[in-house]
Amino acid sequence: MSPRGARPSSSASDERAATLSQVAHEAGVSLATASRAINGSPDRVVGEDLRRRVLEAAARLDYSPDANAQAMARGRTATIGLIVHDIADPYFSTIAAGVSAAADEEHLAVTLANTQHDPARELAFVRTLQQQRARAIILAGGRQDDARANEALQAALAGYQHRGGTVALIGQPVLGVSTVRADNGRGAAALANALLDLGYRRFGILSGPDRHLTARERLEGFIGALDAAGVTPDAVVASAFTRDGGHGALAELRERAPEAEVVWAVNDVMALGAMTAAREAGLSVPDDLAFAGFDDISTLRDVAPPLTTVHLPLEEMGRLATPLALDVDGGVREVTVSGEVVVRASTPRR
Amino acid sequence: MSPRGARPSSSASDERAATLSQVAHEAGVSLATASRAINGSPDRVVGEDLRRRVLEAAARLDYSPDANAQAMARGRTATIGLIVHDIADPYFSTIAAGVSAAADEEHLAVTLANTQHDPARELAFVRTLQQQRARAIILAGGRQDDARANEALQAALAGYQHRGGTVALIGQPVLGVSTVRADNGRGAAALANALLDLGYRRFGILSGPDRHLTARERLEGFIGALDAAGVTPDAVVASAFTRDGGHGALAELRERAPEAEVVWAVNDVMALGAMTAAREAGLSVPDDLAFAGFDDISTLRDVAPPLTTVHLPLEEMGRLATPLALDVDGGVREVTVSGEVVVRASTPRR
DNA sequence: CTGTTAGCGCGTTCAC
DNA sequence: GTGAACGCGCTAACAG
């Protein structure tokens, strides 16, 4: 193996990185001075000359501070944990992009945890992040109305917070921590009204799991608005909150609501899956059946016909969650973003 | 604030977590014994009785090992870094899901770095991950043929490796490290032949940036196959390797290749963007113009008409990269996955 | 402004 | 088997 890469000008180049004390030695100053020069604490009080000497020595040795040692000495890390249900889902990957961008600005590293929709894994990740002493945890994704799971999670988060960690949620504030939430009910109601305005009267609804709070909020908002207009949906079919959930549930919906003019799914991926299923069944969209969703994931830009939905600023939500999560002053805050109805060609006027 | 969460049975419950030595004290054993009992080093030589006492004490104190301290003492972390161009792009988020799953199995945490297509940021992340002493780094995304940027990156990676870090790429092996690569040339050629078989003779091509190696490999494979059949593309238009790149470049392609029967873009997101642009221009897909892509991102499941493409096992590629990245024995290995042509309705027989 | 000295929490030699 | 002591690399008092 020929030696490659950086080559310190002096002495032996070990397998391991140069340490601060080596830098200090090389610069002929004390450890403390080297530390101050390189880090420049709030009190940037190192003589310009020494400071320069240290920096040069560091460059010469290709010094790279050890974040673990710093974390240890400082008592806190520069890491933020992000827990999502499924990073491959555009909903979450967009949120992740937002969190990542915001974390970047704060010079924080992001540890990604992908639960694959498994509450047990979610719990395990909270513990792992606690071990890493992550400064904050952001939990993205709607909660379920599952007392046991929520209690376990809440206990784990409480333990984490008890030790100085801070937490934010993107979803529902059921856990007593700061939360970025979407005004699901209002958004869904607005969408329902928009569809009514367009002339739709026969609705088939693909709801998520009964206990999924986001699904429930949206469903209630939507049905409430229909109700106010004296309209009752032909059928409401529950399924998983995923693309495949929507895809698989369409057949039942058609059976139970053969007269439906429009199918509304509680999120976009479900709507897309259902739309595909409709096509597979030989239907034409939107002529035979119209479709609408919720979220406005970026994927929709290239879907035909363009899907009517409720726009949520997903990346922004990820961004917003970051300062909330980092907020140490213990206040439980709540930020609500509102959804905006976007009518597109998947729901033409009737 | 009412105290909530875990409550140690004994003494005061500090703001900070219980330490191993507290556990040792609580259990009436030495620090060393506690360490061995909880960790069970290769030499699991702690009496069953003591072991039990320690574990109980740990549970009572709600002990949570400090990963930073462990990393420090052990000399290595349990973290793997993942650098991607854009986590919101389905191509990368799917790879990320694969990496995440594989890392999970190895009990490694994943630090996510999102470069937003900026080489400078990429470099910065390599440094950050080095500071974190991440055990390995996975760089996903095709390289550019940019000597300066590549050299800088290569130097940074070499420094990282010099200090014991290991690296793997998902893309091209231009950096002298282990790589998971797709057989882009062969896949593209197979696609070209499939399109020829379907009766297409007039091709409009949306290539990526000239210096983008993945784009180039695919382009060359495709054109080579056309060539062998005595066919020359009507036009090749370069653009960004993104959805918007494809979307924006379609107009020029139509201008330069008005007779084209099919548009092939070097990746799916570009093809989708272009397809949308075609529709916006009033064309019907695939009747007026057929489309094909490359990658088979999951998004395609719900696109209409279904897009013909070359399937790449993206999640699997992320999975495969993980052991490669972790491989300490210094061998530069290369794994090639092959793409499989998938003909769908976006390219009907002519 | 700069240097000395304690730790941070844990793994790991060494002795016993 | 178990315990005592050292060190990982760095920051943060505390002195000068």
Side-chain angles (χ1 to χ4, degrees), chain B residues 213-286:
Chain B
L213 294 180
T214 299
R216 193 189 289 175
E217 290 177 3
R218 293 177 182 178
L219 182 63
E220 287 170 359
F222 195 90
I223 290 188
L226 291 188
D227 224 41
V231 173
T232 306
D234 286 24
V236 177
V237 174
S239 75
F241 204 61
T242 62
R243 183 266 178 195
D244 289 340
H247 184 266
L250 186 81
E252 182 182 343
L253 185 64
R254 285 191 63 212
E255 206 166 296
R256 291 180 37 196
E259 309 289 321
E261 304 157 343
V262 59
V263 170
W264 175 62
V266 293
N267 72 30
D268 285 340
V269 290
M270 289 174 67
L272 292 181
M275 207 159 98
T276 298
R279 288 205 174 96
E280 288 167 356
L283 296 182
S284 155
V285 179

Side-chain angles (χ1 to χ4, degrees), chain B residues 269-324:
Chain B
V269 290
M270 289 174 67
L272 292 181
M275 207 159 98
T276 298
R279 288 205 174 96
E280 288 167 356
L283 296 182
S284 155
V285 179
D287 298 336
D288 296 336
L289 196 53
F291 280 86
F294 202 115
D295 284 342
D296 200 19
I297 54 178
S298 61
T299 309
L300 296 192
R301 291 182 301 183
D302 299 313
V303 164
L307 189 70
T308 292
T309 190
V310 178
H311 175 81
L312 246 36
L314 297 174
E315 179 165 351
E316 177 69 10
M317 289 169 73
R319 274 207 148 80
L320 286 171
T322 308
L324 275 195

